[in-house]
Amino acid sequence: MAVETSPRSTTWTYVDGEWLSGNPPLIGPTSHAMWLGSTVFDGARWFDGIAPDLDLHCQRVNRSALALGLKPVVAAEDIEGLAWEGVKKFDGQTAIYIKPMYWGEHGMPGSVVAVDPDSTRFALCLFEAPMGEGPGGQSLTVSPFRRPTIECMPTDAKAGCLYPNNGRILIEARNRGFSNALVRDMLGNIAETGSSNVFMVKDGVVFTPAANRTFLAGITRTRVIGLLRDAGFDVVETTLTLSDFEAADEIFTSGNYSKVVPVTKLEDRDLQPGPIAAKAKDLYMDWAHSTASDL
């Protein structure tokens, strides 16, 4: 039986100069991206008429392309303009995920494994996606899987080839009854969760793992750190162990998909959604609505 390939929500994709609805067939069985993984993407959000940090997401996808050996063929400001054009195709009632992408079509001459940068293709996909996990928060276990180092994988890019590892982290955690997992780096220190950056609070001080090139230090993470500091909170980027998180007063995550989400359970320990997590979310949303570009 053929697999249903229609998108699960209203979707528009810009590719090769035109907007196409649904899930257009863009990658064939001989495409480099299909069998050798030369894909990068980024993800911004549109909601309430705004798209916070859209410019930064458009800039980062071009940096990711370079990190993977691709050629960024569309200027960041042009990607941003196309995104706003695409937003107008929706009804304006449901939040949208904005996903610019690059991929390789052919291998480099003389090596089928390495991508040919001159074969880089670009698409911009927008689809309806409500704003993530609800106010109930998420539960975390500790993953047996770890984050690679920059010597092993292109951890400085938002590359598709990194996400099967995240996927197995989430599948393993959910098979044990948790919604997500804390993930360690190769030295055993906490890096992130399976799908987001992570923060903890102890005695009123906010801590988050220092960016050590084993995980992508996200745009939303950077924004939350800055907003908390501007509001008078001490935010420390440092090496954190599992023991630190086990002793935390509160834990929360940040990411583009759901912004700020409290953690309500770590292994067998229940936690309450904390006041600093709530403040971080309020600060982010206040900033987004007051400074982000309006449609």
Side-chain angles (χ1 to χ4, degrees):
M1 181 181 295
V3 174
E4 174 58 56
T5 61
S6 299
R8 294 179 175 177
S9 64
T10 301
T11 302
W12 285 91
T13 299
Y14 177 89
V15 63
D16 296 335
E18 62 178 331
W19 287 99
L20 305 173
S21 63
N23 185 31
L26 300 179
I27 297 177
T30 68
S31 297
H32 191 274
M34 176 72 172
W35 64 310
L36 292 169
S38 55
T39 67
V40 298
F41 72 99
D42 217 287
R45 276 297 212 167
W46 177 92
F47 58 93
D48 298 341
I50 58 175
D53 285 325
L54 175 59
D55 56 340
L56 300 184
H57 288 282
C58 295
Q59 293 163 23
R60 188 172 66 180
V61 73
N62 280 2
R63 295 196 302 272
S64 292
L66 290 170
L68 209 68
L70 298 165
K71 181 183 292 185
V73 295
V74 182
E77 56 269 26
D78 292 334
I79 299 174
E80 185 178 359
L82 286 168
W84 284 114
E85 182 180 312
V87 164
K88 296 176 183 177
K89 295 183 173 293
F90 295 81
D91 63 12
Q93 303 302 309
T94 304
I96 299 169
Y97 193 78
I98 301 171
K99 183 176 62 170
M101 299 173 286
Y102 289 107
W103 70 96
E105 187 62 34
H106 302 296
M108 182 181 291
S111 173
V112 70
V113 174
V115 68
D116 181 356
D118 289 328
S119 73
T120 300
R121 297 187 67 192
F122 169 81
L124 173 64
C125 180
L126 287 77
F127 58 90
E128 289 184 343
M131 289 294 289
E133 300 181 54
Q138 57 183 321
S139 59
L140 299 181
T141 183
V142 180
S143 180
F145 306 119
R146 300 203 178 188
R147 287 291 302 178
T149 65
I150 188 67
E151 294 85 0
C152 302
M153 291 290 284
T155 55
D156 54 347
K158 199 168 178 68
C161 59
L162 295 169
Y163 280 80
N165 191 47
N166 297 65
R168 67 177 186 158
I169 287 165
L170 292 170
I171 290 169
E172 194 275 339
R174 292 179 182 183
N175 284 342
R176 292 194 285 116
F178 296 88
S179 58
N180 212 319
L182 288 176
V183 185
R184 292 165 289 187
D185 62 22
M186 297 304 292
L187 296 177
N189 300 311
I190 299 298
E192 60 174 3
T193 78
S195 60
S196 54
N197 295 133
V198 66
F199 293 78
M200 55 161 278
V201 180
K202 185 67 176 177
D203 297 329
V205 179
V206 182
F207 297 88
T208 192
N212 62 3
R213 304 187 78 191
T214 68
F215 65 94
L216 202 62
I219 291 169
T220 305
R221 171 188 180 272
T222 300
R223 183 66 64 190
V224 167
I225 289 172
L227 291 169
L228 284 171
R229 285 175 174 164
D230 289 345
F233 291 91
D234 290 331
V235 183
V236 180
E237 298 178 75
T238 188
T239 300
L240 296 168
T241 66
L242 176 57
S243 296
D244 293 320
F245 278 85
E246 290 173 335
D249 298 325
E250 61 177 291
I251 302 170
F252 62 94
T253 66
S254 73
N256 175 63
Y257 206 90
S258 303
K259 302 310 179 186
V260 178
V261 179
V263 171
T264 55
K265 187 179 182 69
L266 174 59
E267 295 291 3
D268 58 356
R269 180 191 173 200
D270 292 324
L271 297 102
Q272 293 298 316
I276 295 182
K279 183 65 173 178
K281 184 169 186 177
D282 288 344
L283 287 169
Y284 182 88
M285 290 301 179
D286 288 348
W287 165 81
H289 285 94
S290 65
T291 64
S293 298
D294 204 291
L295 180 59

